[in-house]
Amino acid sequence: MSQNSTPIANNNGIQVIDPPLLRTIKFSLFAVAVPISMSCYLFIIYQMLSHRALRGGLHNHAIIVNLCFNLVVVMVDLPFILSYLHLAHVIPATEAHCLAWQFVDYGVWFTDVFVTFWASIERHILIFHSNMTNTAKKRLFFHWIPLVFFSLYAPTIYTYLVFFYPTPHNYDFTQYLCGGPYYYNDIAPWLLWYETIVHFTMPNILIVVLGFALVIRVVVQKQKLCQSAGWRQYRRTTKQFVFISLVYICNLPYIIVTIVRWSGYPDFGLNVQGPYFFYMLYIPTLFFPFAVLVTMPNLREKFSRYFHQSTILQMNIIAPTNNDAR
C-alpha cells in the first residue's frame, strides 16, 4: 500500500484506498466548513441558553441537547478526521487518543441521531397532541424521560463497548479510528445487526419520514391549526424540523448501500461507500446549526452581524502582518 493512500475501515467491512487528491479535496472542504459550523454552534447555544423564552420552550429542549452533542463532534471528532486526512496517520499515536476518538465518533455521533429521532416524534406530540404535555406529570413521562433516555443511551452503551468490552485492542495508527472500534472483532452477529438497524438505519430513515409526515399533517389540518393560539409557533416548529430532516437525507446513500450489501450483495457500492458516502455522514452535523438558525429570524440577523464583525476583525489582525512582511 502506498504511503500516499489512506485506508478507510468501518463496521461494514469496507477497506478502500483514499487517493491523495481525493484526500486533499476532503481536507480542504472540512477545513473550511468546520470553523464556520463551530462558530454557529457556539453562537446558537449561547443565545438559546441565555434567553429564558428560548431555553424554556419544550420544543427547544431536544434542539439544545442536539446542539451540545454535535458541538462535541465538531470540536473533537472532525479535527481528528482533519488531522488524519492531512497526515494519513493518527497523531498523537496514543491509546487515549484512539479510544477518545472512537467514543466520540460512535457514542456522541449516535446520540445526535437518537435525540433527533425523538425530536421528530415529539414534534407530532407538541403540535397535534399538546394535551399530552399540559401537566407536570405528563411532561415528565412524555418529554423529560424520553429526552434523558435518548441522550444517555448511546454514551452509556459505547462507554462499555469502546473502553471496557473484553477484546484485544490492536491499535493501527495508519487507519481511520486507529482500526477500531475493536469490539467488532469479537461481537455476536445479532448485536451487529441490532446496531446497524436500531442505532443507524431505522432512526435516520424515520427522521426523514416523520419530517415529511409532519408537513403533510400540518397542511391537511392547517385550517384547524390556524384557529389555534399557537399557530405561529407550530408553523415555525414545522419549518425548523423540515430543514433538519432535509440535512439528514445526506445519510441515506450510505444506508441504502449498506442495506443492499447486507442483503446478499457484499461488493455493491464498495467503490463509493467508503470514499464518498462515509464522509457524507458528517454533513448533518456540520449543517445542523444552520438548519436551526434559518428558522429563527432574530438570531439569524444577530449571527450575520457577529460573523461579519469576526471576519473584519480577523482581516484587521492579518493586514498589519502582511504589511510588515512587505
Side-chain angles (χ1 to χ4, degrees):
M1 183 181 297
S2 172
Q3 291 183 344
N4 291 327
S5 299
T6 305
I8 302 173
N10 62 43
N11 60 319
N12 289 315
I14 297 175
Q15 184 78 20
V16 299
I17 301 301
D18 201 7
L21 177 60
L22 183 59
R23 192 174 68 240
T24 301
I25 293 173
K26 292 173 185 174
F27 173 82
S28 302
L29 292 175
F30 275 114
V32 172
V34 168
I36 298 174
S37 181
M38 189 183 303
S39 298
C40 192
Y41 271 113
L42 292 171
F43 174 81
I44 296 180
I45 291 173
Y46 171 77
Q47 293 293 332
M48 295 191 79
L49 292 180
S50 61
H51 290 80
R52 184 174 181 179
L54 293 177
R55 70 173 182 267
L58 295 182
H59 60 284
N60 283 332
H61 291 165
I63 297 298
I64 293 172
V65 173
N66 270 123
L67 289 166
C68 293
F69 277 103
N70 277 334
L71 179 62
V72 175
V73 175
V74 171
M75 296 184 71
V76 178
D77 194 9
L78 293 181
F80 287 170
I81 293 174
L82 276 169
S83 174
Y84 180 72
L85 288 171
H86 180 59
L87 301 172
H89 58 273
V90 177
I91 293 293
T94 64
E95 176 182 359
H97 182 190
C98 292
L99 294 179
W101 187 10
Q102 292 169 21
F103 174 75
V104 174
D105 195 74
Y106 278 69
V108 179
W109 189 89
F110 276 121
T111 300
D112 165 64
V113 175
F114 282 124
V115 174
T116 305
F117 166 65
W118 164 245
S120 66
I121 297 174
E122 190 180 42
R123 288 296 184 273
H124 288 262
I125 294 175
L126 293 175
I127 294 176
F128 301 104
H129 306 283
S130 57
N131 60 309
M132 295 175 64
T133 58
N134 60 5
T135 67
K137 185 176 181 179
K138 290 181 179 180
R139 285 193 293 273
L140 175 65
F141 285 101
F142 296 109
H143 176 71
W144 292 112
I145 290 179
L147 181 59
V148 171
F149 172 78
F150 285 110
S151 299
L152 298 181
Y153 171 75
T156 302
I157 293 293
Y158 286 101
T159 294
Y160 170 70
L161 290 176
V162 171
F163 295 104
F164 302 109
Y165 190 81
T167 188
H169 289 188
N170 301 314
Y171 300 100
D172 185 347
F173 301 112
T174 66
Q175 289 196 31
Y176 180 85
L177 291 176
C178 307
Y182 307 109
Y183 64 87
Y184 286 123
N185 299 329
D186 186 29
I187 189 174
W190 72 268
L191 282 175
L192 187 58
W193 276 98
Y194 174 84
E195 181 187 53
T196 302
I197 295 172
V198 176
H199 287 195
F200 183 61
T201 305
M202 293 306 299
N204 277 289
I205 292 175
L206 289 173
I207 287 169
V208 177
V209 171
L210 289 170
F212 285 101
L214 184 65
V215 175
I216 294 172
R217 292 187 71 181
V218 168
V219 171
V220 171
Q221 302 188 38
K222 182 177 180 180
Q223 184 175 358
K224 179 181 177 181
L225 291 172
C226 284
Q227 298 173 359
S228 172
W231 163 244
R232 182 174 297 179
Q233 180 62 53
Y234 296 153
R235 185 175 60 182
R236 188 177 69 82
T237 301
T238 302
K239 186 186 300 184
Q240 182 183 78
F241 203 79
V242 167
F243 281 110
I244 292 173
S245 299
L246 287 174
V247 298
Y248 279 86
I249 289 178
C250 296
N251 290 344
L252 295 186
Y254 189 94
I255 291 172
I256 292 170
V257 174
T258 298
I259 292 173
V260 174
R261 291 183 62 233
W262 281 46
S263 300
Y265 302 91
D267 296 328
F268 178 81
L270 280 177
N271 59 330
V272 293
Q273 187 175 22
Y276 303 103
F277 294 165
F278 175 76
Y279 287 94
M280 287 177 62
L281 299 176
Y282 296 99
I283 292 178
T285 302
L286 290 168
F287 282 88
F288 185 89
F290 300 101
V292 175
L293 191 66
V294 74
T295 60
M296 308 177 78
N298 293 335
L299 293 188
R300 188 170 65 241
E301 293 174 3
K302 286 184 179 180
F303 180 74
S304 297
R305 292 196 298 269
Y306 162 78
F307 188 76
H308 180 67
Q309 291 172 358
S310 299
T311 304
I312 293 177
L313 180 61
Q314 292 176 3
M315 292 176 64
N316 290 337
I317 293 174
I318 295 172
T321 305
N322 294 337
N323 291 334
D324 292 341
R326 286 194 294 268

